[in-house]
């Protein structure tokens, strides 16, 4: 599409927004981008998603968790049932130290955690956005943006441009939009953990109950495992590594070389040893370094704002990364719907979100520090964990996270 055609499409006036934001450019086609664009359409705002990669990332590996609060937010844009159709529900969780399990308390009155393949989730969210009228353009890598009193112009590596009233950066932990808003903005911190996901066939000596996820502290490293709907076991490894590797660098290492390291790391663990031994190179997904975002000083400028991992990326230990991104997308759309001035809308959005996401990010950082406790730490955990769960008010600790609901119809002040 030519620049002139693109600009005309972006500037189609929506009569429900005669004085406020009418058009939006969304950078990033993963999770936060399609949800943001769909929510903007629900709010009466035209949105186009620009993705740097040349096609939808259906082939990417690994899975992620969607918490009840994230699923409730997806319900608001009509995407939750399609996610449930491709997800595995987790109805019960356990924590195991050196193979000894401890049942974790359950939170009453919420739906199960949903485990979904990242590629499946991308496809579902893209399809829902398209049905809502969102347009996608692939192979459009953002290189710059220029704000004006009337809007913002995005500039792409292919020489093309696009204009709209606002630009939303949903472009992940290495966000280009974040650096455009604030060149001094902090980048994502590496947690010292590399993530892998493997798949093995269930067997008599290697099985678990359907709907149960086990978080395991092994002798040398943390891992987790659960049974998929097709009967296979899935396990995720958090491999300690002082050397940071990008996803591209990690995937350049042959899978059998990573498997040798994983088998050595989990050789004294039950069932970690069997999980590592029975995973073949073809059944190992390298999902890369685990990041955590420090607090970002500037969530927005006059006409640009950040959403999802670009501004808050809690560790995967929280089980809330994707859900936080989805929530933020909905809240950002509400603010742009109800507050005509985009800068004021962005400031209100930040005020709505910052305390919640920072609190969850801090919880994830604390959890990461427990993933390699060492021999003395593991002995202490054996003694303290049953007492901890008896004394902990689980509903108070986790209820505020998982029962959080967005009132879409309520006006934003």
């Amino acid at each position: 599409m030519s620049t002139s055609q693109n600009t005309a499409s972006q500037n189609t006036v929506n009569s429900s927004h005669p004085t406020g934001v009418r058009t939006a450019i969304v950078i990033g086609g993963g999770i936060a981008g399609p949800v943001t664009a769909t929510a903007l359409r629900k709010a009466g705002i035209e949105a186009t998603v620009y993705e740097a990669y040349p096609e939808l990332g259906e082939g990417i590996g690994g899975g992620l968790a969607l918490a009840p609060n994230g699923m409730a937010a997806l319900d608001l844009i009509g995407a939750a049932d399609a996610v449930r159709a491709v997800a595995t529900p987790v109805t019960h969780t356990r924590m195991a130290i050196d193979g000894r399990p401890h049942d974790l308390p359950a939170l009453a009155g919420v739906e199960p955690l949903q485990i979904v393949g990242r590629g499946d989730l991308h496809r579902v969210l893209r399809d829902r956005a398209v049905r809502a009228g969102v347009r996608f353009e692939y192979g459009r890598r953002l290189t710059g943006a220029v704000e004006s009193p009337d809007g913002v112009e995005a500039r792409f590596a292919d020489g093309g441009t696009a204009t709209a009233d606002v630009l939303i950066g949903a472009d992940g932990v290495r966000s280009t939009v974040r650096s455009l808003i604030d060149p001094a903005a902090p980048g994502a911190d590496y947690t010292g953990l590399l993530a892998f996901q493997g798949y093995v066939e269930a067997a008599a000596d290697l099985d678990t109950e359907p709907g149960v996820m086990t978080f395991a502290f092994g002798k040398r490293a943390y891992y987790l495992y659960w049974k998929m709907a097709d009967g296979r076991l899935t396990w995720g490894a958090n491999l300690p590594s002082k050397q940071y590797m990008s996803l591209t660098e990690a995937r350049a290492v042959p899978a059998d070389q990573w498997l040798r390291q994983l088998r050595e790391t989990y050789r004294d663990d039950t069932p970690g040893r069997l999980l590592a031994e029975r995973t073949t190179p073809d059944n190992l997904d390298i999902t890369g370094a685990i990041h955590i975002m420090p607090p970002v000083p500037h969530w927005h400028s006059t006409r640009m704002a950040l959403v999802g991992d670009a501004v808050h990326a809690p560790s995967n230990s929280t089980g809330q990364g994707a859900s936080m991104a989805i929530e933020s997308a909905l809240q950002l759309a509400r603010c742009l719907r109800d507050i005509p001035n985009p800068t004021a809308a962005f400031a209100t959005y930040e005020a709505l979100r910052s305390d919640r996401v920072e609190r969850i990010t801090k919880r994830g950082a604390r959890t990461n520090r427990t993933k390699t406790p060492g021999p003395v730490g593991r002995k202490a955990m054996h003694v303290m964990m049953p007492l901890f769960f008896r004394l902990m008010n689980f509903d108070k600790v986790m209820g505020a996270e998982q029962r959080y609901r967005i009132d879409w119809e309520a006006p934003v002040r």
Side-chain angles (χ1 to χ4, degrees), residues 56-63 82-83 85-87 115-127 228:
L56 177 69
E58 286 192 87
I60 60 176
V83 171
V86 295
I115 307 298
V116 61
R118 189 176 292 272
D120 290 335
L121 182 60
H122 285 193
R123 173 180 50 77
V124 166
L125 296 179
R126 194 281 305 270
D127 290 351
M228 297 172 64

Side-chain angles (χ1 to χ4, degrees), residues 36 43 49 57 67 78 80 88-89 144 149 170 228 338 368 385:
T36 299
V49 175
T88 299
M228 297 172 64
D338 295 344
N368 282 343
M385 190 171 294

Side-chain angles (χ1 to χ4, degrees), residues 188-199:
D189 290 335
Y190 173 50
T191 61
L193 298 168
L194 297 175
F196 301 83
Q197 192 161 307
Y199 310 88

Side-chain angles (χ1 to χ4, degrees), residues 149-386:
D150 298 323
V152 60
E153 180 184 78
R155 297 174 177 176
F156 300 97
D158 61 8
T161 62
T163 61
D165 294 328
V166 295
L167 184 151
I168 309 301
D171 49 346
V173 294
R174 301 193 175 282
S175 171
T176 298
V177 180
R178 186 174 64 234
S179 66
L180 293 174
I181 291 172
D182 177 11
D189 290 335
Y190 173 50
T191 61
L193 298 168
L194 297 175
F196 301 83
Q197 192 161 307
Y199 310 88
V200 300
E201 297 297 327
D205 59 347
L206 184 57
D207 201 0
T208 189
E209 303 162 51
V212 176
M213 176 174 282
T214 301
F215 306 97
F217 292 85
K219 292 281 195 285
R220 299 171 186 83
Y222 168 89
Y223 63 106
L224 70 163
Y225 58 95
W226 67 95
K227 179 180 280 190
M228 297 172 64
D230 63 8
R232 292 184 300 164
L233 294 186
T234 301
W235 69 293
N238 285 180
L239 191 65
S241 175
K242 293 180 180 179
Q243 179 187 0
Y244 171 79
M245 299 181 76
S246 70
L247 181 58
T248 300
E249 291 169 336
R251 288 182 173 173
V253 177
D256 56 356
Q257 186 172 324
W258 282 123
L259 277 173
R260 285 196 294 272
Q261 189 170 342
L262 290 167
R263 288 164 182 163
E264 171 63 21
T265 300
Y266 295 105
R267 70 178 188 272
D268 296 323
D269 298 325
T270 303
R273 177 180 63 83
L274 293 178
L275 290 167
E277 285 179 353
R278 295 182 188 176
T279 300
T280 65
D282 290 341
N283 286 317
L284 181 70
D285 285 333
I286 302 163
T287 54
I290 299 175
H291 297 90
I292 190 169
M293 277 298 300
V296 174
H298 303 289
W299 285 42
H300 66 91
S301 58
T302 304
R303 294 272 175 175
M304 298 190 291
L306 302 169
V307 69
D309 284 356
V311 68
H312 50 73
S315 163
N316 66 345
S317 303
T318 65
Q320 284 282 0
S323 295
M324 289 294 99
I326 293 163
E327 285 182 2
S328 289
L330 270 291
Q331 293 288 37
L332 176 57
R334 289 181 65 232
C335 291
L336 288 170
R337 177 194 67 189
D338 295 344
I339 302 173
N341 181 280
T343 309
F346 292 154
T348 304
Y349 153 69
E350 180 179 354
L352 281 174
R353 296 300 295 160
S354 58
D355 285 350
R356 176 168 168 80
V357 299
E358 287 176 18
R359 185 167 58 250
I360 291 172
T361 297
K362 289 177 181 177
R363 178 173 71 79
R366 290 193 299 269
T367 302
N368 282 343
R369 290 193 289 270
T370 71
K371 285 189 171 181
T372 52
V376 175
R378 286 199 307 276
K379 289 180 180 178
M381 289 173 75
H382 276 302
V383 174
M384 297 302 297
M385 190 171 294

Side-chain angles (χ1 to χ4, degrees), residues 42 68-81 84 111 326:
K42 184 178 176 71
N69 47 290
M71 295 300 296
L74 287 179
D75 266 322
L76 292 174
I77 60 167
D81 284 343
R84 293 182 185 105
E111 76 167 285
I326 293 163

